[in-house]
């Protein structure tokens, strides 16, 4: 081995072992021009102040465990869960890059939506019942687990909850394997819908289901806003509307169930200049992905110039995330690599490449990223 190569390898090992401190996610100066202006209003969305964000108490972020379809649980798995004490999902402190990525993978896989946690014995009984799970449309993955559901041992007891990151950003492949970071394609099940409906009541205190839906999607600066009719809808009618959105899309907060947002691919997100399928926020570095994760999960003030869509009681930071948790999560997301192209050796691929070049597809889908970043 040459002397120069030895020095390069030594430097690489030193870098890999170097301790890296997490960065601060909620920074007033970075937030000021982060969001892109809203079409039809020409103002940037508002945001909670740095003081409001860091004054909010973090949730009990603890480790979670997969839910198995009845009959597929490992031996003694339920006994383990029934006696399990809560363990922190992440602890404060610096780590090296490899440690941050490993911790971030755990956060990506195990993080749940804390307001959707249910301690209801009847709900938990349903998860243990083959008949009830079949009736609600639950299907096992290759390993017997149920997509999107997690068991959460907390200080208040064992809860059933929903995956936060993994419910939207894990794709199930035809062979039953999964790809982290890719848009979800699992259609979900009735139990997830039940947990979401129960949790939304805590976000929109004092509202009927219809008014709560209106607050999530309204655009009052648009004439004849289609979302006005949500106010008079029943919970059952809203459920039908949301179920009409195909897998791979999501009626996200500040989005619309009538024009559902396509779930973006997170693999390679670090090479892009905008976040979200509709480019709602700029991407200037890892900190922007961190704060976007916070905005879409707990911390959107829903202020649009003169339009304030939440009541004073609702306009709060829910379950703030520690900086370490979001930093680890983004280190893992940035490390994701796309799966191998299954058609690389197919002769039709070379013909497709010629068509791509001949038709000028690269004008918008510029190689090697296949986006023009506009």
């Amino acid at each position: 081995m040459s002397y120069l190569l030895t020095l390069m390898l030594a430097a690489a090992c030193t870098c890999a072992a170097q301790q890296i401190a997490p960065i601060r996610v909620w920074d007033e100066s970075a937030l000021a021009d982060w969001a892109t202006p809203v079409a039809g209003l020409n103002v940037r969305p508002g945001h909670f102040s740095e003081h409001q964000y860091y004054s909010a108490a973090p949730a009990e972020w603890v480790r979670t465990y997969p839910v198995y379809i009845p009959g597929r649980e490992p031996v003694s798995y339920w006994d383990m869960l029934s006696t399990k004490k809560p363990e922190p999902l992440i602890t404060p402190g610096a780590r090296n890059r490899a440690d941050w990525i490993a911790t971030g993978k755990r956060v990506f896989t195990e993080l749940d939506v804390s307001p959707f946690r249910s301690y209801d014995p009847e709900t938990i009984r349903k998860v243990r019942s083959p008949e009830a799970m079949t009736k609600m449309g639950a299907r096992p993955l290759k390993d017997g687990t149920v997509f999107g559901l997690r068991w959460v041992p907390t200080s208040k007891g064992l809860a059933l909850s929903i995956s936060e990151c993994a419910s939207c950003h894990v794709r199930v492949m035809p062979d039953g394997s999964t790809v982290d970071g890719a848009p979800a394609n699992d259609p979900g099940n009735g139990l997830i819908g039940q947990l979401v409906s129960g949790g939304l009541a805590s976000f929109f205190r004092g509202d009927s289901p219809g008014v709560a839906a209106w607050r999530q999607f309204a655009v009052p600066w648009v004439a004849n806003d289609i979302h006005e009719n949500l106010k008079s809808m029943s919970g059952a009618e809203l459920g039908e509307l949301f179920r009409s959105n195909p897998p791979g899309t999501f009626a996200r907060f500040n989005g619309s169930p009538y024009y559902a947002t396509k779930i973006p691919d997170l693999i390679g997100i670090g090479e892009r200049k905008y976040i979200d399928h509709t480019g709602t926020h700029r991407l200037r570095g890892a900190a922007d992905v961190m704060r976007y994760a916070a905005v879409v999960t707990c911390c959107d003030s829903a202020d649009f110039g003169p339009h304030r869509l939440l009541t004073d009681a609702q306009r709060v930071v829910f379950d703030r995330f520690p900086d370490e948790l979001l930093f680890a999560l983004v280190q893992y997301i940035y490390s994701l690599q796309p799966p191998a192209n299954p058609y690389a050796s197919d002769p039709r691929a070379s013909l497709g490449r010629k068509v791509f070049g001949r038709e000028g597809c690269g004008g918008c889908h510029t190689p090697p990223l296949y986006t023009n970043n506009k």
Side-chain angles (χ1 to χ4, degrees), residues 75-320:
V75 176
S76 302
Y77 185 70
W78 183 248
D79 293 336
M80 179 276 292
L81 285 173
S82 302
T83 57
K84 190 74 175 174
K85 301 298 182 184
E87 299 177 22
L89 183 56
I90 189 169
T91 54
R95 296 166 171 83
N96 63 38
R97 177 167 171 74
D99 289 339
W100 278 119
I101 291 173
T103 304
K105 178 177 175 61
R106 186 173 73 216
V107 171
F108 181 90
T109 303
E110 298 188 16
L111 186 67
D112 76 299
V113 189
S114 63
F116 294 169
R117 292 174 186 170
S118 174
Y119 300 86
D120 175 44
E122 180 59 23
T123 300
I124 291 175
R125 184 199 64 77
K126 289 180 182 178
V127 186
R128 309 281 296 150
S129 164
E131 295 77 17
M133 291 293 273
T134 299
K135 185 177 180 180
M136 289 184 290
R139 300 160 305 282
L141 297 177
K142 191 174 184 178
D143 60 359
T145 61
V146 180
F147 187 87
L149 293 175
R150 305 293 295 184
W151 291 117
V152 191
T154 75
S155 58
K156 297 192 293 185
L158 184 65
L160 178 69
S161 190
I162 300 172
S163 300
E164 179 66 82
C165 310
S167 62
C168 285
H169 298 288
V170 171
R171 191 169 191 85
V172 182
M173 304 302 284
D175 65 356
S177 62
T178 56
V179 178
D180 286 0
N185 58 345
D186 187 273
N189 59 69
L191 191 54
I192 290 177
Q194 181 179 319
L195 293 174
V196 170
S197 297
L200 285 176
S202 64
F203 283 107
F204 301 99
R205 290 178 289 239
D207 284 344
S208 67
V211 172
W214 174 84
R215 291 192 192 281
Q216 294 179 67
F217 310 118
V219 281
W221 54 90
V222 173
N224 302 314
D225 178 18
I226 191 174
H227 302 98
E228 282 294 321
N229 72 325
L230 296 176
K231 292 180 179 178
S232 59
M233 281 191 177
S234 66
E237 291 171 325
L238 290 167
E240 284 297 316
L241 175 60
F242 294 138
R243 283 191 292 274
S244 70
N245 294 164
T249 66
F250 181 57
R252 54 155 294 175
F253 189 76
N254 293 334
S256 173
Y258 295 108
Y259 310 99
T261 304
K262 181 180 177 182
I263 298 172
D265 188 353
L266 298 183
I267 300 172
I269 191 173
E271 304 292 340
R272 300 171 205 156
K273 294 183 179 179
Y274 295 92
I275 305 177
D276 206 335
H277 189 69
T278 51
T280 58
H281 294 76
R282 299 165 64 201
L283 205 173
R284 302 159 296 185
D288 280 338
V289 183
M290 291 170 61
R291 60 181 61 97
Y292 185 79
V295 163
V296 298
T297 52
C298 71
C299 310
D300 192 329
S301 65
D303 295 338
F304 302 92
H307 304 279
R308 186 170 174 172
L309 295 178
L310 301 178
T311 67
D312 289 342
Q314 296 165 352
R315 193 181 176 278
V316 296
V317 174
F318 279 92
D319 301 337
R320 175 179 61 83

